[in-house]
């Protein structure tokens, strides 16, 4: 008789091994910490050996745990593939799509994409989780989302995450038409240090990009406000309270109406690359492929009038 292992216990083991914490694993699995601890004790009793060692701040694998981990991950991948092989044929009519995206993408990109998506998959259940890049990677690893819209990491995505390119954008200054900078083709470096700059929250990849850009130019902004909403940054800029920094597609309507004026962030652009991320251990479902294709198409059709405006300013 074949002795089987409890797959829920294996999932808990893999999650604890990856997160190196019972607390973080419990959060990923939407379980209590005691439930995860119980699953680990039961698995260790079944195997007759210790798999994990608790240290002061981390949980580490024992030699036995290190041997078990690749087998457990392979079992879970095979189970996911088996489930997907049954689920995919009915994706045209049923199924679910779980999406992760930044707040900006949720507000300005996803509504258009999902309107088009519903035409092809009218009965598909859609769930959206907002969060920054690191949160999206965690959600993908935990199997809580299928596709994430993220900024391409500078050092590449983790080994277990696959990515497909979507579009590129450029970070710019945005000011009110009454702001002193509004008539400039480029902002002199000496004007930046004392200006109030409104940036996206520290700890995000966008904030990191802007910080590195300023450091490379030898600029140390003395007056900075950090906000967690691109719409709030836009409103601050429109009221003339400072210069916001974000991408043109977030302010397409304001650029067209003239309520915000885009300016280059420097002599050289500061580009970002957006991509769709997914678990590389399984094939993309038809619904997921369609969603990614729509993201690419919608991004291509967004109003990028500011791109030409910026090009004209640089040429002037």
């Amino acid at each position: 008789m074949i002795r089987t292992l409890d797959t829920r216990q294996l999932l808990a083991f893999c999650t604890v091994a990856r997160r190196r914490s019972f607390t973080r694993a419990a959060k990923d699995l939407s379980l209590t910490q005691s439930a995860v601890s119980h699953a680990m004790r039961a698995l260790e009793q079944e195997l007759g050996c210790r798999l994990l060692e608790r240290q002061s701040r981390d949980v580490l694998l024992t030699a036995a745990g290190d041997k078990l981990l690749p087998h457990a991950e392979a079992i879970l991948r095979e189970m996911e593939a088996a489930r997907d092989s049954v689920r995919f044929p009915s994706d045209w009519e049923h199924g679910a799509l779980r999406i992760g995206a930044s707040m900006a993408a949720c507000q300005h990109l996803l509504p258009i994409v999902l309107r088009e998506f519903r035409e092809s998959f009218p009965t598909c259940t859609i769930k959206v989780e907002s969060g920054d890049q690191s949160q999206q990677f965690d959600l993908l690893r935990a199997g809580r989302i299928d596709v994430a819209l993220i900024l391409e990491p500078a050092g590449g995505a983790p080994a277990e995450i696959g990515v497909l390119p979507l579009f590129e954008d450029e970070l710019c200054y945005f000011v009110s038409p009454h702001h002193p900078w509004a008539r400039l083709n480029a902002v002199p470096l000496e004007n930046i240090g004392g200006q109030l700059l409104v940036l996206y929250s520290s700890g995000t990849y966008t904030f990191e990009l802007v910080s590195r850009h300023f450091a490379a130019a030898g600029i140390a902004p003395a007056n900075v406000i950090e906000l967690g909403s691109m719409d709030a940054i836009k409103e601050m800029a429109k009221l003339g309270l400072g210069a916001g920094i974000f991408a043109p597609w977030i302010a397409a309507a304001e650029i067209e109406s003239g309520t915000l004026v885009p300016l280059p962030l420097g002599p050289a652009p500061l580009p970002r690359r957006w991509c769709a991320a997914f678990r590389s251990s399984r094939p993309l479902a038809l619904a997921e492929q369609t969603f990614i294709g729509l993201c690419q198409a919608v991004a291509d059709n967004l109003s990028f009038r500011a791109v030409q405006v910026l090009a004209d300013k640089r040429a002037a």
Side-chain angles (χ1 to χ4, degrees), residues 7-242:
T7 53
R8 291 169 297 184
Q9 294 172 2
L10 291 178
L11 177 59
F13 166 68
C14 290
T15 307
V16 173
R18 184 179 66 247
R19 299 290 272 154
R20 299 175 65 174
S21 162
F22 282 88
T23 302
R24 292 191 291 268
K27 184 177 179 181
D28 286 352
L29 296 169
S30 299
L31 297 172
T32 63
Q33 186 172 338
S34 62
V36 175
S37 297
H38 176 76
M40 289 300 91
R41 286 195 299 271
L43 182 59
E44 288 177 333
Q45 289 172 1
E46 173 66 25
L47 294 172
C49 62
R50 295 193 65 184
L51 302 172
L52 302 167
E53 289 284 355
R54 290 180 183 264
Q55 295 196 347
S56 59
R57 304 184 70 175
D58 282 339
V59 177
L60 302 179
L61 291 173
T62 64
D66 196 49
K67 290 180 181 179
L68 176 63
L69 183 59
H71 295 290
E73 290 176 332
I75 290 169
L76 295 176
R77 284 196 299 270
E78 284 298 318
M79 290 185 63
E80 184 73 15
R83 181 187 295 274
D84 289 344
S85 68
V86 175
R87 178 169 63 92
F88 286 179
S90 62
D91 272 353
W92 278 110
E93 297 299 332
H94 304 288
L97 178 65
R98 301 169 303 169
I99 306 161
S102 68
M103 186 59 70
C106 287
Q107 292 173 325
H108 300 281
L109 179 63
L110 277 186
I112 307 170
V113 172
L114 293 180
R115 182 187 63 197
E116 301 293 329
F117 179 85
R118 295 293 291 181
E119 293 184 5
S120 298
F121 297 87
T123 61
C124 183
T125 302
I126 300 170
K127 180 181 179 182
V128 179
E129 296 264 9
S130 65
D132 61 23
Q133 185 188 86
S134 62
Q135 291 172 316
Q136 298 302 329
F137 283 147
D138 289 341
L139 290 169
L140 283 169
R141 292 188 188 100
R144 291 172 56 187
I145 59 174
D146 304 308
V147 180
L149 304 183
I150 63 167
L151 289 168
E152 183 180 54
E160 68 273 25
I161 303 296
V163 295
L164 288 173
L166 292 177
F167 65 98
E168 292 189 6
D169 63 13
E170 174 184 345
L171 292 175
C172 316
Y173 295 116
F174 279 87
V175 297
S176 159
H178 307 294
H179 191 281
W181 289 0
R183 295 179 180 83
L184 300 176
N185 291 326
V187 181
L189 294 181
E190 60 270 19
N191 288 9
I192 296 170
Q195 176 60 231
L196 173 61
L197 300 179
V198 191
L199 307 180
Y200 200 39
S201 302
S202 61
T204 63
Y205 187 50
T206 295
F207 185 91
E208 180 185 336
L209 285 174
V210 174
S211 299
R212 288 205 305 256
H213 176 82
F214 284 146
I219 301 169
N223 200 357
V224 173
I225 293 178
E226 299 173 24
L227 296 174
S229 163
M230 287 295 181
D231 280 349
I233 296 174
K234 284 197 301 184
E235 289 306 310
M236 291 279 288
K238 283 197 288 187
L239 290 172
L241 299 178

